[in-house]
Amino acid sequence: MTQPAPLAGQYALVTGASRGIGQAIALHLKSLGAFVVGTATQSAHASQITELLGDQGVGVVLDVGQPDSIAQLFEVLKERQQLPTILVNNAGIVCDQLILRMKESEWDQVINVNLSGAYRLSKACLKQMASLRWGRIINISSVVAGLGNSGQVNYAASKAGIEGFTRALAREVGGRGITVNTVSPGYIDTDMTHVLTEEQRQQVLAQIPLKRLGEPKDIAGIVGFLATEAADYMTGATLHVNGGIYMG
Ligand code: NAP
């Protein structure tokens, strides 16, 4: 007798699924049997996500920095009976600058998308998860939260914030059968790291015991694990997936 797919019947919302890590997560959760709603900031990219996910998902437009955008999406999801039982807060941006040159707007923008976005989406999902007494919230942090990185005070603060947010929320909602965990990637080969110069890339590689940058699928596999029954007793955790560059 064939076993049902591990996430059959679940609805996963993956923010920032147009490329990179988010796209790999969306495809992996689909392969585990979930119906996946993947988000992009532009409608052309949302259509590409729809094509990629076929009959087991859909692409939608969302800006996690805009509360109205989230409210509109949840109206639609409610109507379609696709309210998430699994949320992956993956959308993230960088806006690098040394602190003395960093404008308030550059600080605010990164905190608003990376940290406040996760707060808004989690809040929007909790009612449905609590009523089902089952839910998974998986946040994507960064190795920079632990290591620090010159030129990234805004990004590091947002990602360290995500880890604290995860622990506090895990305590708040554990009694409702909802787990909240963080996956903290190291340097992963995506658009975000394509801005590194060859010299910077070599410097990074020299510090990674596994001697390579990560691939989006390296992160997607761990997110998939957290979404499945295998991780039922894990909450408030931060899983470091970084080739060994940081072992905190
Ligand atoms: P990426 O290739 O730059 O993709 C970023 C994704 O976030 C895109 O899908 C983008 O959507 C979406 N996004 C950006 N602003 C958004 C907003 N305001 N609202 C909704 N979605 C938004 O990044 P990545 O490397 O895959 O990174 C994914 C996550 O992993 C981020 O949280 C990042 O901080 C984290 N991370 C990455 C690395 C790395 O080395 N790559 C390391 C540690 C952590 P559009 O395409 O529609 O703009």
Side-chain angles (χ1 to χ4, degrees):
M1 213 171 69
T2 51
Q3 296 280 339
L7 298 182
Q10 303 297 347
Y11 289 91
L13 174 61
V14 181
T15 65
S18 58
R19 52 200 160 96
I21 295 170
Q23 185 181 83
I25 293 170
L27 287 172
H28 186 56
L29 295 181
K30 175 189 165 184
S31 78
L32 294 174
F35 182 91
V36 179
V37 178
T39 83
T41 53
Q42 294 169 35
S43 59
H45 294 161
S47 304
Q48 285 167 7
I49 296 172
T50 300
E51 254 177 58
L52 201 66
L53 295 173
D55 59 3
Q56 220 182 295
V58 64
V60 295
V61 173
L62 175 73
D63 180 346
V64 302
Q66 302 283 344
D68 288 353
S69 175
I70 295 170
Q72 275 166 22
L73 172 63
F74 275 74
E75 286 285 307
V76 173
L77 294 180
K78 194 173 171 189
E79 219 172 275
R80 292 183 191 161
Q81 299 189 314
Q82 292 172 351
L83 285 171
T85 52
I86 299 166
L87 167 66
V88 185
N89 282 310
N90 166 78
I93 55 169
V94 289
C95 190
D96 297 351
Q97 191 56 271
L98 296 172
I99 190 167
L100 289 180
R101 292 191 201 137
M102 187 178 286
K103 299 188 191 100
E104 285 262 344
S105 59
E106 292 168 331
W107 170 269
D108 287 345
Q109 192 190 356
V110 171
I111 299 292
N112 185 39
V113 171
N114 296 6
L115 183 56
S116 307
Y119 149 76
R120 294 181 189 116
L121 265 303
S122 303
K123 197 170 167 183
C125 288
L126 281 173
K127 203 169 155 196
Q128 169 76 353
M129 292 178 178
S131 74
L132 295 172
R133 301 198 74 77
W134 193 93
R136 296 283 202 251
I137 297 177
I138 301 161
N139 300 314
I140 306 297
S141 165
S142 166
V143 68
V144 165
L147 277 177
N149 198 18
S150 172
Q152 291 199 311
V153 292
N154 50 1
Y155 184 72
S158 72
K159 295 303 191 179
I162 278 285
E163 294 180 13
F165 171 81
T166 294
R167 290 186 281 271
L169 185 58
R171 289 189 185 276
E172 224 172 284
V173 299
R176 309 278 180 92
I178 302 165
T179 67
V180 191
N181 291 289
T182 296
V183 176
S184 178
Y187 288 83
I188 310 299
D189 197 2
T190 70
D191 288 351
M192 199 174 265
T193 46
H194 290 165
V195 297
L196 294 176
T197 63
E198 187 50 31
E199 192 187 349
Q200 287 169 326
R201 196 181 163 91
Q202 291 308 324
Q203 279 170 2
V204 167
L205 280 173
Q207 296 169 58
I208 301 175
L210 292 182
K211 297 296 170 210
R212 65 171 177 90
L213 295 197
E215 293 174 36
K217 70 175 171 52
D218 294 320
I219 305 306
I222 304 300
V223 170
F225 158 73
L226 285 172
T228 58
E229 201 184 327
D232 263 357
Y233 199 55
M234 180 173 273
T235 197
T238 295
L239 301 189
H240 299 280
V241 188
N242 58 35
I245 193 172
Y246 176 70
M247 300 181 185

